[in-house]
Amino acid sequence: FKVPDEISLLVIVVDVNPIWWGQQAQREQEFTLSKCLDAVMVMGNSHMAMSRTNKLAVIASHCQDSHFLYPSKSWKAGDDGADDASSSGDGKYELLSVANNLIAEEIRNVMSKTEVRGNSTDTLLAGTLAKALCLGQEIKSRILVIKAAEDCALQYMNFMNVIFAAQKQNILIDACVLDSNSGLLQQACDITGGLYLKIPQQVALAQYLLWVFLPDSEQRSQLVLPPPAHVDYRAACFCHRNLIEIGYVCSVCLSIFCNFSPICTTCETAFKIQLPQMVKPKKKKLKQTT
Amino acid sequence: MLLLYFKISPDGKAKIQLQLVLHTGESTTFHFANESSALKDRDATKELLQQLLPKFKKKANKELEEKNRMLQEDPVLFQLYKDLVVSQVISAEEFWANRLGGINNTDPAVVNNKQEVGISGAFLADIRPQTDGCNGLRYNLTADIIESIFRTYPAVKQKYSENVPHNLTEKEFWTRFFQSHYFHRDRINTGTQDIFSECAKQDEKGLKSLVIQGVKNPLVDLLSLEDKTLDEGYGICTTLPSTSNANKTVKESSNSAIIKRFNHHSAMVLAAGSRKGEAPTDQASETSSTDGNSRDSDFFQPPVKKVKLQEAIEYEDLQRENRPKTVALNLKKSDRYAHGPVPLQSQHYTTSQDIINSVNYIRHEMMNYKPNLTEVLSSTAASSAIAALSPGGVLMQAGAQQAINQMVPTEVQGELKHLYVAAGELLRHFWSCFPVNTPFLEEKVMKMKSNLERFQVTKLCPFQEKIQRQYLSTNLTGHLEEMLQTAYSKFHIWQTRRMMRKT
């Protein structure tokens, strides 16, 4: 039961990591960034077409920055947009064609400004998600992440903060993963109540998006959708980065270790642990021979 | 030990005895054998018991009240109580052992969170006399008003306790009260016959002592509140109106009488309100100062001059904060937090050539990007995606396994939860006994072990049989049994060690 005229915002975060997509284009001609963006546009259009009060935002997550593809600062209502709309010639709902054109223009800008930098090759996903959260402050909103490149472990803290902030604000995070599984996004979906899906066929991205991610949370309860994946919440110890089930946690700095050590290597706090007392064997009394 | 009541042997009997009857029904008899002081001792004990008993009863009731409140507020606790104590798996004492920590330790004044109800300043006006038709007045007295009168005017209360019910009935007392001029506005003619004439005299004394004491607050200057006229030439001090009775007109004197009574009444109401923690029936307070008036003025004492001055010049917010000293966190390897408890992933090694190539490629691709929304999806791709997403498809496999909570009926689930809560409680008691280093703990651990066994027999086994009868193949009680088994083996190890130590 949807309250009429309730604004529902969908924020689509697209991972446009140039290195990954550049390599992808050389691997797989059928599914390139252009194709991916087309599918995203279809998704965005469909969302806006579902209801007059639905709103859309698209953010590109790059390795240099995060960039709003839509809505865009350069959009001035009513001038350039109108011309383009008539030129598309297919009688499309004007809002949709305006949006599409803006997205296309912005992504062209973003990618053309890509520089070659060896040191930052990871997608700045945590930052993008933070921006997405800022959008959905007073209205009902959800975030859909289209993930391409691998997780960046260095963003762990920021990522977790973003996830918990989203949970507090009741913002769902959905994830559609194109390539390698992302533990962080699995946790994000699990904690916020969203859906995590690694798609088997990249070329059918549009179909997966429309089938699984287009319905909002209330509608999903009525549909048969892929069941939630089992999330591995095991932590990795700080000393070896191995996944452990039982470990030791320093009460001062909360670092996790797989073995007990008397001094925490992170914060240098000393710990004493009571060792079980040794039972001293009783000395036998020597019998005196008379 | 809860004392219910006590009995003393009648005076004529040879043996001088005192019998205490406990809550549990047991009774103990004390025989006072000291020939000379037996009677005195026993009577002294009796007095002491009489004084202490009501307080103790109050405390015991409070405990019971608290227990009831806890059981009512927390349904889980209530269920646990039913499961463990009512079915005699553990005793009530053990159950409440850890839970009632706060009751007996705290000061009763603190525990009694009820706020004192103040006295309405208008309580006398609330009496509201009504004419009853034949030249008389009807006064409506409620228990509240009577209480207010007693609290505000202890002198009246004293008179009441002196005269009722020996000399006067309650009705007579109050009739006299209202008839007396003490009550009425113009207290000019107070006949000596009136039982309340003393009260009037006491009031006068009290008022005088109040005036003499004055106000101790240096920031309040009552004298400056007098009417001063700085008219007619400024600075001419007009003589203050004389307060001696001789020069007063009748009207003036009755006015000043009313004002005096008004002030006195307000002072008494405030004093009665600021008397803290005093129950009207508390005997202890009666023994101190019988002159209610002077006592009120004690409570009317404002704080000492220095304190008042300090209050006026210091602001709490601006003081330096007295926070407890903390130790700063000293992180040597803070980079560990950057990646957090995430396992090392095999990193994709990209050469710089790769990077350059990829960037160029993508820039080239996106330079002329134009959305082509009519060819986003081929029908084969779409249908295989749909197949994967349909029940039985590649992506829907995990859902085929029915969740266990859909296969087990809710009552069974509820019962299982109760079993876990009860078992958890017992196991907590059991494990808290280790390491066993006192005889008390030894006893307790053995008792807990037998409690666990009893729990298993009376609660767990019937549950297992029940679910077997319902053909539920899932093993719901495996974990519980595992926990109990761990406890048993620990007990066994402890017992063998103990026996080895003894030999």
Side-chain angles (χ1 to χ4, degrees):
Chain A
F1 167 66
K2 190 178 179 199
V3 177
D5 291 353
E6 188 185 71
I7 296 177
S8 172
L9 170 68
L10 169 66
V11 184
I12 307 182
V13 171
V14 189
D15 179 359
V16 297
N17 189 318
I19 297 152
W20 191 90
W21 283 107
Q23 288 173 332
Q24 166 79 354
Q26 295 167 64
R27 294 191 279 258
E28 167 83 55
Q29 301 281 342
E30 292 288 316
F31 185 71
T32 58
L33 181 56
S34 318
K35 283 283 181 191
C36 176
L37 285 168
D38 285 353
V40 167
M41 264 188 224
V42 169
M43 173 72 181
N45 290 350
S46 309
H47 174 77
M48 290 202 282
M50 293 278 277
S51 162
R52 192 173 46 81
T53 56
N54 277 357
K55 295 224 183 297
L56 179 71
V58 183
I59 316 181
S61 193
H62 200 273
C63 42
Q64 287 161 203
D65 58 8
S66 329
H67 197 97
F68 272 87
L69 299 181
Y70 179 80
S72 153
K73 284 182 229 165
S74 59
W75 176 35
K76 289 174 201 100
D79 18 89
D80 307 335
D83 297 338
D84 282 344
S86 54
S87 71
S88 75
D90 58 3
K92 193 186 285 161
Y93 174 30
E94 188 183 316
L95 179 63
L96 300 184
S97 66
V98 164
N100 294 347
N101 291 332
L102 279 171
I103 293 171
E105 191 181 318
E106 285 303 319
I107 192 68
R108 283 195 295 264
N109 285 340
V110 169
M111 298 317 278
S112 66
K113 290 187 196 144
T114 309
E115 291 161 13
V116 176
R117 277 198 219 159
N119 52 352
S120 65
T121 55
D122 293 307
T123 322
L124 298 176
L125 195 51
T128 318
L129 284 176
K131 282 195 185 177
L133 283 182
C134 292
L135 274 183
Q137 282 293 317
E138 272 124 35
I139 53 183
K140 178 165 165 287
S141 65
R142 60 188 170 102
I143 302 175
L144 167 62
V145 179
I146 314 242
K147 183 88 161 47
E150 297 89 21
D151 271 348
C152 171
L154 293 172
Q155 292 178 27
Y156 175 78
M157 280 306 215
N158 297 334
F159 217 99
M160 293 314 286
N161 283 337
V162 162
I163 294 173
F164 289 120
Q167 187 198 28
K168 278 252 154 68
Q169 291 177 24
N170 291 323
I171 295 179
L172 234 69
I173 298 181
D174 292 322
C176 184
V177 173
L178 301 174
D179 190 14
S180 39
N181 269 314
S182 158
L184 288 174
L185 277 176
Q186 278 179 344
Q187 284 191 46
C189 298
D190 195 41
I191 291 172
T192 58
L195 261 169
Y196 177 91
L197 187 68
K198 173 169 167 352
I199 58 173
Q201 273 181 292
Q202 292 168 342
V203 289
L205 175 64
Q207 184 61 63
Y208 288 110
L209 289 181
L210 293 175
W211 185 281
V212 179
F213 296 106
L214 185 58
D216 64 25
S217 51
E218 287 109 33
Q219 294 157 0
R220 285 179 200 181
S221 58
Q222 313 294 323
L223 303 168
V224 178
L225 292 172
H230 171 74
V231 185
D232 187 357
Y233 275 111
R234 281 182 301 169
C237 63
F238 279 38
C239 33
H240 310 102
R241 309 279 296 273
N242 296 330
L243 289 172
I244 52 174
E245 285 178 10
I246 298 181
Y248 296 84
V249 180
C250 168
S251 50
V252 174
C253 63
L254 299 179
S255 329
I256 300 169
F257 300 104
C258 46
N259 273 317
F260 171 76
S261 85
I263 298 186
C264 167
T265 41
T266 314
C267 65
E268 300 197 338
T269 313
F271 288 101
K272 282 180 228 161
I273 197 167
Q274 272 181 342
L275 296 165
Q277 282 166 348
M278 300 288 287
V279 179
K280 289 202 181 112
K282 278 198 182 138
K283 284 198 182 132
K284 273 205 170 141
K285 273 193 181 156
L286 291 169
K287 262 193 177 163
Q288 298 250 342
T289 49
T290 46
Chain B
M1 225 186 61
L2 296 173
L3 180 63
L4 201 56
Y5 62 90
F6 65 91
K7 293 199 279 203
I8 53 174
S9 54
D11 286 337
K13 281 234 173 132
K15 282 194 192 169
I16 297 172
Q17 290 176 330
L18 179 78
Q19 189 184 42
L20 298 173
V21 181
L22 298 180
H23 208 236
T24 52
E26 295 169 27
S27 66
T28 323
T29 313
F30 293 92
H31 175 59
F32 291 83
N34 186 341
E35 299 254 331
S36 50
S37 62
L39 198 62
K40 252 198 296 171
D41 288 341
R42 191 202 64 192
D43 286 341
T45 320
K46 180 187 100 180
E47 295 282 325
L48 194 64
L49 279 175
Q50 272 179 336
Q51 278 187 19
L52 294 176
L53 199 62
K55 281 194 192 160
F56 186 70
K57 274 220 161 95
K58 229 198 297 179
K59 196 171 89 153
N61 280 342
K62 225 183 277 182
E63 231 183 81
L64 215 65
E65 254 183 60
E66 183 65 25
K67 284 185 189 173
N68 274 338
R69 191 189 61 86
M70 281 175 75
L71 286 180
Q72 273 176 5
E73 281 180 2
D74 187 359
V76 176
L77 192 68
F78 188 51
Q79 185 63 40
L80 191 62
Y81 186 80
K82 271 202 285 186
D83 283 340
L84 294 178
V85 178
V86 176
S87 56
Q88 305 209 334
V89 178
I90 61 173
S91 72
E93 273 155 25
E94 283 171 341
F95 181 79
W96 291 111
N98 295 346
R99 294 194 159 87
L100 284 179
I103 299 302
N104 298 321
N105 300 337
T106 53
D107 183 26
V110 174
V111 172
N112 184 16
N113 291 329
K114 283 188 277 199
Q115 276 185 321
E116 295 277 334
V117 179
I119 302 173
S120 155
F123 69 83
L124 285 180
D126 285 338
I127 299 177
R128 242 186 288 263
Q130 300 159 332
T131 45
D132 63 358
C134 35
N135 218 25
L137 288 171
R138 220 182 138 72
Y139 288 91
N140 279 330
L141 268 187
T142 64
D144 276 340
I145 295 176
I146 292 178
E147 199 192 318
S148 304
I149 295 176
F150 283 167
R151 276 170 77 181
T152 316
Y153 296 103
V156 175
K157 182 175 178 184
Q158 203 188 354
K159 289 288 175 191
Y160 181 86
S161 53
E162 278 171 14
N163 290 311
V164 177
H166 329 288
N167 297 342
L168 305 163
T169 64
E170 204 169 325
K171 192 167 174 205
E172 281 175 4
F173 178 82
W174 290 113
T175 320
R176 290 263 201 118
F177 178 77
F178 288 120
Q179 282 174 347
S180 80
H181 286 285
Y182 176 73
F183 178 69
H184 288 282
R185 289 193 304 165
D186 320 322
R187 270 192 203 170
I188 302 175
N189 309 318
T190 47
T192 45
Q193 304 259 322
D194 207 334
I195 51 171
F196 296 104
S197 54
E198 252 180 62
C199 299
K201 290 200 189 106
Q202 273 181 339
D203 284 353
E204 282 279 340
K205 256 201 294 177
L207 199 60
K208 280 213 170 70
S209 63
L210 266 179
V211 171
I212 290 169
Q213 274 173 10
V215 178
K216 287 278 168 75
N217 188 345
L219 300 172
V220 173
D221 183 9
L222 282 179
L223 295 178
S224 68
L225 298 173
E226 287 198 44
D227 294 334
K228 285 196 190 92
T229 51
L230 281 183
D231 225 2
E232 304 275 348
Y234 302 92
I236 295 173
C237 180
T238 54
T239 49
L240 296 167
S242 160
T243 49
S244 65
N245 279 331
N247 294 342
K248 273 194 186 168
T249 61
V250 173
K251 190 171 176 226
E252 264 181 32
S253 64
S254 70
N255 282 348
S256 69
I258 294 177
I259 292 174
K260 222 172 23 172
R261 274 203 69 198
F262 190 64
N263 288 337
H264 180 69
H265 175 76
S266 309
M268 298 293 269
V269 169
L270 281 177
S274 63
R275 245 178 267 152
K276 286 197 179 118
E278 205 182 276
T281 54
D282 199 334
Q283 286 185 322
S285 65
E286 293 288 332
T287 52
S288 50
S289 172
T290 48
D291 181 359
N293 287 337
S294 67
R295 214 157 143 255
D296 299 337
S297 54
D298 283 344
F299 280 94
F300 221 52
Q301 286 279 352
V304 177
K305 183 175 177 180
K306 195 173 177 189
V307 175
K308 270 290 169 184
L309 282 175
Q310 258 195 330
E311 267 181 26
I313 58 176
E314 285 178 357
Y315 281 107
E316 222 175 87
D317 308 7
L318 300 179
Q319 305 282 13
R320 204 181 310 165
E321 264 186 67
N322 284 338
R323 264 186 283 184
K325 282 209 174 127
T326 50
V327 180
L329 184 62
N330 175 23
L331 291 174
K332 289 289 179 226
K333 298 202 179 158
S334 52
D335 53 303
R336 282 180 174 175
Y337 290 96
H339 56 71
V342 169
L344 262 179
Q345 274 144 348
S346 52
Q347 285 297 332
H348 217 78
Y349 182 63
T350 339
T351 63
S352 37
Q353 194 54 49
D354 279 341
I355 295 176
I356 298 172
N357 287 346
S358 309
V359 170
N360 286 336
Y361 212 100
I362 198 71
R363 271 160 68 163
H364 180 79
E365 180 195 325
M366 297 309 285
M367 217 159 44
N368 301 310
Y369 168 62
K370 252 203 154 64
N372 185 1
L373 299 187
T374 53
E375 288 178 32
V376 171
L377 199 56
S378 73
S379 52
T380 38
S383 46
S384 65
I386 293 175
L389 288 169
S390 306
V394 149
L395 294 172
M396 309 294 280
Q397 290 304 327
Q401 255 181 349
Q402 261 192 314
I404 202 166
N405 65 351
Q406 287 170 355
M407 294 207 295
V408 174
T410 32
E411 316 90 54
V412 175
Q413 284 184 47
E415 260 188 74
L416 187 64
K417 277 188 203 152
H418 290 148
L419 281 176
Y420 261 96
V421 173
E425 177 71 11
L426 292 174
L427 286 167
R428 177 173 74 83
H429 279 285
F430 176 81
W431 287 104
S432 67
C433 299
F434 292 93
V436 183
N437 38 27
T438 68
F440 168 73
L441 285 176
E442 270 185 42
E443 244 186 76
K444 187 172 179 201
V445 79
M446 290 196 281
K447 211 169 19 140
M448 288 320 297
K449 194 241 176 190
S450 61
N451 283 342
L452 284 171
E453 285 173 334
R454 208 187 4 237
F455 170 77
Q456 190 166 18
V457 166
T458 56
K459 297 274 174 180
L460 194 55
C461 292
F463 179 73
Q464 278 171 310
E465 282 163 19
K466 181 173 155 190
I467 57 175
Q468 267 173 4
R469 278 201 303 269
Q470 291 182 8
Y471 303 112
L472 287 170
S473 53
T474 44
N475 184 5
L476 294 173
T477 55
H479 179 238
L480 271 175
E481 285 174 345
E482 215 183 287
M483 292 199 289
L484 290 175
Q485 214 38 58
T486 319
Y488 295 150
S489 38
K490 174 77 179 179
F491 181 79
H492 186 69
I493 292 172
W494 171 75
Q495 214 172 28
T496 14
R497 275 214 199 115
R498 191 160 154 261
M499 287 205 273
M500 272 170 50
R501 250 184 280 147
K502 280 187 176 167
T503 52

